[in-house]
Amino acid sequence: MQRNGPGRRALETPRAAGLAGVVFALLLTATIVLMRLGIPEGAGAGGAGGFTDTTQRNAVRAALALVPFAGIFFLWFLGAVRAHVGDVEDRFLATVLLGSGLVFTATLFGAAASAEAVLAVAHPTGSAPSLTTWDFGRHFAYTLMMDYGMRMAAVFVSSMSVIGTRMGVLPRWLTAVGAVTALVLLFVSSSVPWSELVFPAWSLLLSAHILLVGGRRRRVTLT
């Protein structure tokens, strides 16, 4: 019984990683879409007065409600992915992977806090915040998320792709997709709206791969 316990937990780790990654990808996608709809293009069009629209406010509030859960599931995803790689992981790359993942989570929460501040300065009657406060809040949130957060996501993707190539834990097509994703996040996401969606898309692909590998391992063990 004691030998079955640890073995059982080892088999369940890849499945946990895949499921956490799927949930994170869906939550982050929903957050990005709602934020883009609630504050389109950084809300440059229409100025602060455009945010008096109830639909925009509700979209941003819904996105902000999802952010903490997206961060939580990403941390589970990060930890379980490292467990999936196992003891053969390179310490240098593993440190970069862990550090970039933690910084990404911090910037995600920081951007959400900034957007929450924009909501807080609006009066209950629905009047818009001052133009100065509005501009600072929206620019800070978008800069923190798109310029810094997505670049940390690029480091996370690239380091995972290199680990996957060196250790043989990822197929070549997935490492190639990771390389393209990292380039988009590094050089495109800050200037092209919606391009940041490549990160949750890559996370979903990685999660699906981990689930498939975990399923095969379970079948081999049972046989």
Side-chain angles (χ1 to χ4, degrees):
M1 291 297 294
Q2 293 180 348
R3 287 183 295 179
N4 290 337
R8 182 179 179 182
R9 286 193 295 270
L11 286 173
E12 290 178 352
T13 299
R15 180 187 267 300
L19 291 176
V22 169
V23 176
F24 160 72
L26 295 177
L27 289 174
L28 184 60
T29 299
T31 299
I32 292 173
V33 170
L34 289 170
M35 287 297 294
R36 284 291 186 183
L37 295 177
I39 314 178
E41 298 291 339
F51 200 61
T52 57
D53 184 84
T54 304
T55 303
Q56 288 182 316
R57 288 172 179 265
N58 291 337
V60 174
R61 287 194 177 95
L64 295 177
L66 295 177
V67 168
F69 299 100
I72 291 170
F73 277 100
F74 177 75
L75 291 177
W76 280 100
F77 178 48
L78 171 61
V81 165
R82 293 192 64 198
H84 173 66
V85 174
D87 297 332
V88 297
E89 68 178 1
D90 181 270
R91 288 188 178 181
F92 171 76
L93 291 173
T95 302
V96 175
L97 179 75
L98 177 62
S100 60
L102 294 177
V103 174
F104 167 77
T105 306
T107 55
L108 179 66
F109 288 164
S114 178
E116 181 67 37
V118 174
L119 284 177
V121 297
H123 298 292
T125 57
S127 60
S130 65
L131 184 60
T132 302
T133 303
W134 171 265
D135 284 339
F136 173 79
R138 66 184 177 87
H139 283 302
F140 183 80
Y142 270 84
T143 299
L144 187 60
M145 189 61 191
M146 302 308 166
D147 288 356
Y148 295 95
M150 287 304 159
R151 284 180 170 85
M152 286 298 99
V155 176
F156 177 81
V157 174
S158 59
S159 57
M160 183 60 201
S161 298
V162 174
I163 290 175
T165 301
R166 288 189 178 182
M167 309 307 168
V169 296
L170 295 180
R172 290 185 177 180
W173 68 266
L174 188 52
T175 58
V177 171
V180 174
T181 300
L183 291 175
V184 171
L185 294 173
L186 275 174
F187 302 109
V188 180
S189 61
S190 60
S191 56
V192 179
W194 302 99
S195 59
E196 64 273 9
L197 288 173
V198 297
F199 181 49
W202 173 84
S203 301
L204 188 61
L205 288 176
L206 177 60
S207 302
H209 170 72
I210 292 175
L211 283 172
L212 290 175
V213 171
R216 286 197 294 266
R217 288 177 179 175
R218 290 173 65 89
R219 287 193 295 270
V220 170
T221 303
L222 290 175
T223 57

